[in-house]
Amino acid sequence: MSHLSSPPPKHKGEHKGHGLPRGSERCSSSRDKDRSVTVSSSGPMPAGGKGSRTNCSPSTPQKVPNRLINEKSPYLLQHAYNPVDWYPWGPEAFDKARKENKPIFLSVGYSTCHWCHMMEEESFQNEEIGRLLSEDFVSVKVDREERPDVDKVYMTFIQPFVGGTYFPLEDGLTRVGFRTVLLRIREQWKQNKNTLLENSQRVTAALLARSEISMGDRQLPPSGATMNSRCFQQLDESYDEEYGGFAEAPKFPTPVILSFLFSYWLSHRLTQDGSRAQQMALHTLKMMANGGIRDHVGQGFHRYSTDRQWHIPHFEKMLYDQAQLAVAYSQAFQISGDEFYSDVARGILQYVARNLSHRSGGFCSAEDADSPPERGMQPKEGAFYVWTVKEVQQLLSEPVPGATEPLTSGQLLMKHYGLTEAGNISPSQDPKGELHGRNVLTVRYSLELTAARFGLDVEAVRTLLNTGLEKLFQARKHRPRPHLDSKMLASWNGLMVSGFAVTGAVLGLERLINYATNGAKFLKRHMFDVASGRLMRTCYAGSGGTVEHSNPPCWGFLEDYAFVVRGLLDLYEASQESSWLEWALRLQDAQDRLFWDSQGGGYFCSEAELGAGLPLRLKDDQDGAEPSANSVSAHNLLRLHGFTGHKDWMDKCVSLLTAFSERLRRVPVALPEMVRALSAHQQTLKQIVICGDPQAKDTKALLQCVHSIYIPNKVLILANGDPSSFLSRQLPFLSTLRRLEDRATAYVCENQACSVPITEPCELRKLLHQ
């Protein structure tokens, strides 16, 4: 989103309450879908359109780089050869705006953003636009993934100037052109500057009041049962019965909603609403996995679907989607026992391990939607992923034996996945005609129906399709790959540690838990400052497999701490390595020190010092494509209390939930992850304690029994009998629990009152299902 703003007022130092009023150029995603105000049209987002990558190479037309050439961010480097006098976010730009009395043009995006590529190609590479921006504005570029605080503030703060998701260069029937916008604002700045500045101050004061989230005079959070019921009803009303999901189009994966529905089912299993919640979540996951939003050839999920059917995706692939969806599909397997879901979860992690993993153990941020159809050509959206009938026929020409009619393996695959000669992408999804004659693979029939259609055995069809997909995968390796955003973010790496740890534990796959362990080691080695106890937000893939940092480092935001702590708690439960739990406690202490609002309750999104130049210090109040950091923190505090018994963390959880009371009451569906935390707090958290040798078979059998069951409101503890161990020091009652007849023994405890000792997995399963 592109915004323009007045220069910030002069003041001593940069601190909260001062800075730039107004906001950013950014891509559409569910992270901004529900909270952005734009001047662009609100129709479905098209899948087509040319992308662009401005690489810093001698062949680039703009041979003279601007100052972004000195940055580490892949997004900023993409703009380093624009004919725009770009500044990175910081005092140099602000000082220039004040000194020269110019408004700031703030452009916020990220390196795999299709609409950002469109604006760059059409406007930021245009010499005339470059002159306008350089002469009449101070132009600032921000990588929204490096500075989510800037992004959040300016999404809240887009008046009294102007902002938009995407501006075409010239005026059209439905949109004002970018050139016109700049010229109008230049004129307004010259003629009405004082009025604009007065408006700015009024809007700042109003937003400060409106954005405040605090306990006020409330003592307790609202009723979990009431919020649970209201959130479920709001989701039920917006549910798409036919295709799953909770909107018409575009449709986004929303793991926070699916997670809420699974929790709701568990606490309402014997009711009609409980069954309905389970059906809604499982059906949505199945329709997504069968749709084109899933990459059936290379696995992983694309960013969103441009249509109601999950058919034509926006082809970008984000790390945070893969991380959360792996957990959602693992939970679906726990609940249903259907291996369809576990296969999808494994496929997601196979994609991440192959395409987004760095040799340091960290995980890269995203792969672009756009890529050249052939080397040297202009990038197009989806070029890497789409197929023509001719390509498939040539690759899969061998005949299928035993079919009731002449049939090649290519024809079988095309029938099952809905490929047609004319292409299966509607012109309404392809306004520029770039995908004409191409196909997105999407499952049209069950294996049983496809087998029956050609008189074949179901297992034979499964094998033929898998073999065909592998051949397409090998052929696709020869296409130019989409751009990889090799930036590594602590928050998304924390989510990915959870993805590998939870799925590895549920499926009993040690190799997946090893990926989680390596991810946690990466975070501790490369993104943790031992001296200050703080996390860093970003690091970057360097040459030869090295890891590089910006100087000065970009320090972590609330979401970095919250998501890493969650990842470490999940990794402890999967691996039973208490060192990860110990680090989680230290990071939670740092989070409390840096972000906790001791007056109003809850956590600010950024450190006070990091907010230099920003007019607001916000608390994120929406669970979107990623859960809000406060929602995750509420769960973390509950779990940490369960692991340690520290009362302070339970008190903080209550204060946090109380601070968000008004938002929860008004629109619980905006915070499904926090509603889940509220319910978990008002029910009793189970402490499942396994006493035994971690390497012994009987211990592992009891642990695997726990992992195979969906129990969201629990902590899993391994007590090895050592009274001096970390957990025994935290929870003295553990030393009173004994093995029965020297066998691994399980106890299910609530409020330090424990069940009878259990040694058989089947008996433990019965107790946990009660």
Side-chain angles (χ1 to χ4, degrees):
M1 183 175 288
S2 303
H3 295 277
L4 300 121
S5 68
S6 55
K10 290 184 178 180
H11 55 87
K12 292 182 180 178
E14 300 281 357
H15 57 86
K16 185 170 87 89
H18 293 278
L20 298 120
R22 274 65 70 208
S24 57
E25 163 235 320
R26 58 189 273 160
C27 285
S28 293
S29 80
S30 70
R31 282 178 286 176
D32 48 279
K33 176 173 175 279
D34 293 327
R35 60 178 193 259
S36 66
V37 182
T38 75
V39 298
S40 57
S41 63
S42 58
M45 301 163 197
K50 287 188 179 180
S52 162
R53 222 63 69 251
T54 308
N55 295 312
C56 310
S57 66
S59 61
T60 309
Q62 297 302 329
K63 294 234 168 83
V64 180
N66 55 51
R67 57 180 57 75
L68 297 185
I69 197 69
N70 299 314
E71 299 299 307
K72 295 284 187 186
S73 157
Y75 174 65
L76 299 189
L77 288 170
Q78 283 172 357
H79 293 267
Y81 284 85
N82 294 166
V84 177
D85 187 20
W86 289 118
Y87 284 77
W89 177 270
E92 186 183 5
F94 309 154
D95 290 344
K96 179 181 171 71
R98 291 188 199 101
K99 183 179 176 183
E100 299 182 9
N101 200 20
K102 289 179 180 177
I104 283 176
F105 170 79
L106 178 61
S107 172
V108 182
Y110 58 104
S111 85
T112 59
C113 160
H114 172 72
W115 296 100
C116 303
H117 304 333
M118 292 274 285
M119 274 213 72
E120 185 197 12
E121 180 183 306
E122 295 172 357
S123 295
F124 298 144
Q125 292 184 24
N126 181 286
E127 296 283 347
E128 181 193 354
I129 296 297
R131 277 194 301 276
L132 257 175
L133 286 172
S134 302
E135 291 172 5
D136 296 304
F137 304 89
V138 175
S139 299
V140 176
K141 263 280 175 205
V142 171
D143 185 330
R144 66 180 270 192
E145 294 167 354
E146 284 188 337
R147 292 297 305 258
D149 58 331
V150 176
D151 185 48
K152 287 184 176 83
V153 164
Y154 286 109
M155 286 315 302
T156 305
F157 204 96
I158 67 159
Q159 296 297 332
F161 255 55
V162 68
T165 311
Y166 158 78
F167 295 101
L169 178 59
E170 305 294 351
D171 295 349
L173 290 174
T174 58
R175 295 186 180 187
V176 178
F178 190 51
R179 180 190 285 105
T180 301
V181 170
L182 293 179
L183 292 172
R184 285 180 184 172
I185 291 168
R186 181 179 70 177
E187 203 57 33
Q188 284 293 309
W189 183 253
K190 287 177 180 175
Q191 295 181 4
N192 299 309
K193 183 174 65 176
N194 290 337
T195 304
L196 291 170
L197 292 173
E198 287 169 14
N199 287 346
S200 169
Q201 291 167 359
R202 281 198 296 272
V203 171
T204 301
L207 282 173
L208 281 167
R210 200 180 75 187
S211 63
E212 185 180 11
I213 292 171
S214 69
M215 292 184 289
D217 55 5
R218 290 181 288 267
Q219 300 299 311
L220 291 170
S223 157
T226 303
M227 296 304 99
N228 232 3
S229 176
R230 201 174 294 168
C231 186
F232 169 74
Q233 293 301 330
Q234 289 176 342
L235 289 171
D236 191 24
E237 288 165 11
S238 64
Y239 179 64
D240 184 337
E241 296 284 352
E242 190 171 359
Y243 297 105
F246 301 90
E248 285 294 314
K251 270 187 177 172
F252 294 83
T254 45
V256 289
I257 288 176
L258 303 171
S259 192
F260 167 81
L261 290 171
F262 284 148
S263 288
Y264 187 87
W265 160 77
L266 190 66
S267 56
H268 297 77
R269 272 176 297 180
L270 303 179
T271 70
Q272 191 173 348
D273 280 353
S275 299
R276 169 77 168 159
Q278 183 200 54
Q279 178 266 329
M280 287 159 66
L282 292 177
H283 180 58
T284 297
L285 284 166
K286 187 153 276 190
M287 295 304 288
M288 282 168 45
N290 284 335
I293 192 173
R294 179 182 171 204
D295 177 5
H296 294 276
V297 173
Q299 298 304 313
F301 278 77
H302 298 297
R303 184 65 203 88
Y304 60 80
S305 170
T306 63
D307 57 82
R308 187 184 154 213
Q309 295 84 358
W310 305 104
H311 178 196
I312 307 301
H314 172 59
F315 293 90
E316 174 184 7
K317 288 181 177 177
M318 309 300 297
L319 182 68
Y320 60 81
D321 281 328
Q322 317 309 321
Q324 295 176 89
L325 287 170
V327 173
Y329 280 97
S330 298
Q331 292 172 337
F333 172 65
Q334 285 177 312
I335 289 165
S336 69
D338 187 342
E339 290 188 0
F340 172 87
Y341 298 106
S342 59
D343 288 346
V344 176
R346 263 195 297 266
I348 292 169
L349 297 183
Q350 180 187 34
Y351 160 71
V352 172
R354 185 180 62 235
N355 292 107
L356 298 180
S357 293
H358 189 261
R359 69 173 68 174
S360 63
F363 302 101
C364 299
S365 294
E367 283 195 300
D368 210 321
D370 302 0
S371 60
E374 294 178 25
R375 299 193 189 283
M377 293 180 66
Q378 183 74 9
K380 295 181 181 181
E381 184 169 13
F384 185 71
Y385 298 102
V386 294
W387 300 89
T388 64
V389 162
K390 183 180 178 183
E391 286 174 315
V392 175
Q393 286 174 331
Q394 287 176 342
L395 288 165
L396 307 175
S397 58
E398 63 279 1
V400 174
T404 53
E405 60 186 76
L407 182 72
T408 65
S409 59
Q411 289 168 329
L412 177 72
L413 185 140
M414 290 188 291
K415 183 70 174 177
H416 188 74
Y417 288 103
L419 279 67
T420 68
E421 192 77 46
N424 63 11
I425 300 170
S426 161
S428 64
Q429 251 73 44
D430 181 27
K432 295 197 175 181
E434 293 180 325
L435 299 172
H436 179 68
R438 267 70 176 173
N439 293 272
V440 172
L441 271 62
T442 183
V443 175
R444 291 298 196 202
Y445 307 100
S446 66
L447 286 171
E448 290 77 11
L449 277 173
T450 300
R453 167 70 178 77
F454 297 109
L456 296 168
D457 177 71
V458 170
E459 285 309 309
V461 169
R462 189 194 306 275
T463 301
L464 285 164
L465 290 174
N466 287 340
T467 302
L469 292 173
E470 177 60 25
K471 287 184 177 179
L472 295 187
F473 176 72
Q474 295 301 327
R476 205 169 75 174
K477 284 182 177 179
H478 298 289
R479 297 177 176 180
R481 283 204 67 82
H483 156 71
L484 173 72
D485 184 338
S486 58
K487 175 176 74 271
M488 290 174 272
L489 300 172
S491 60
W492 296 0
N493 272 260
L495 290 176
M496 205 64 244
V497 168
S498 287
F500 274 106
V502 171
T503 306
V506 169
L507 303 184
L509 295 174
E510 196 66 34
R511 62 186 172 80
L512 299 183
I513 298 171
N514 289 339
Y515 270 101
T517 300
N518 289 336
K521 287 178 179 175
F522 158 80
L523 284 163
K524 197 163 190 181
R525 186 181 301 122
H526 294 290
M527 306 198 80
F528 178 61
D529 181 63
V530 178
S532 66
R534 292 159 82 195
L535 284 172
M536 295 174 209
R537 169 71 176 171
T538 59
C539 62
Y540 309 87
S543 59
T546 59
V547 174
E548 298 179 350
H549 294 87
S550 57
N551 187 20
C554 184
W555 293 109
F557 296 93
L558 174 64
E559 63 187 49
D560 296 298
Y561 290 82
F563 295 177
V564 170
V565 168
R566 172 189 270 188
L568 294 173
L569 298 181
D570 289 337
L571 179 55
Y572 165 72
E573 293 196 347
S575 68
Q576 299 303 318
E577 289 285 340
S578 63
S579 61
W580 299 124
L581 183 56
E582 292 183 55
W583 191 33
L585 265 65
R586 290 206 299 276
L587 287 179
Q588 187 64 50
D589 282 334
Q591 176 182 320
D592 294 346
R593 183 178 77 252
L594 296 168
F595 303 99
W596 181 253
D597 179 1
S598 55
Q599 263 76 49
Y603 295 96
F604 290 111
C605 291
S606 59
E607 294 182 38
E609 291 74 20
L610 281 180
L614 290 173
L616 303 173
R617 194 178 179 210
L618 297 175
K619 297 174 188 173
D620 197 8
D621 62 354
Q622 179 151 347
D623 297 321
E626 304 161 59
S628 80
N630 270 289
S631 296
V632 173
S633 294
H635 285 279
N636 290 346
L637 291 165
L638 281 175
R639 293 172 76 183
L640 287 165
H641 177 261
F643 281 121
T644 66
H646 292 181
K647 183 174 181 294
D648 179 55
W649 280 332
M650 181 59 81
D651 292 343
K652 274 192 166 60
C653 181
V654 173
S655 296
L656 187 160
L657 293 169
T658 304
F660 282 84
S661 291
E662 185 182 344
R663 176 74 163 162
L664 285 167
R665 286 194 182 97
R666 201 168 66 247
V667 267
V669 75
L671 284 165
E673 187 74 4
M674 193 173 287
V675 173
R676 252 184 13 99
L678 179 65
S679 299
H681 158 62
Q682 294 180 357
Q683 299 162 5
T684 307
L685 202 71
K686 284 186 171 73
Q687 294 166 306
I688 304 172
V689 184
I690 311 293
C691 301
D693 174 359
Q695 302 307 318
K697 282 186 178 178
D698 55 354
T699 304
K700 289 182 177 179
L702 289 174
L703 288 168
Q704 190 53 43
C705 171
V706 177
H707 288 309
S708 70
I709 303 169
Y710 177 68
I711 321 166
N713 301 335
K714 62 110 172 59
V715 294
L716 175 60
I717 296 168
L718 179 68
N720 59 8
D722 178 5
S724 66
S725 70
F726 174 73
L727 273 165
S728 294
R729 295 197 309 274
Q730 305 294 321
L731 298 170
F733 82 92
L734 292 179
S735 60
T736 67
L737 304 180
R738 298 280 181 265
R739 298 189 203 183
L740 201 63
E741 299 171 356
D742 207 31
R743 299 167 66 189
T745 305
Y747 296 87
V748 179
C749 307
E750 295 179 9
N751 298 320
Q752 298 187 22
C754 297
S755 68
V756 296
I758 299 166
T759 56
E760 293 296 331
C762 58
E763 293 300 315
L764 179 58
R765 182 176 299 276
K766 282 181 192 171
L767 179 60
L768 293 174
H769 273 305
Q770 287 177 3

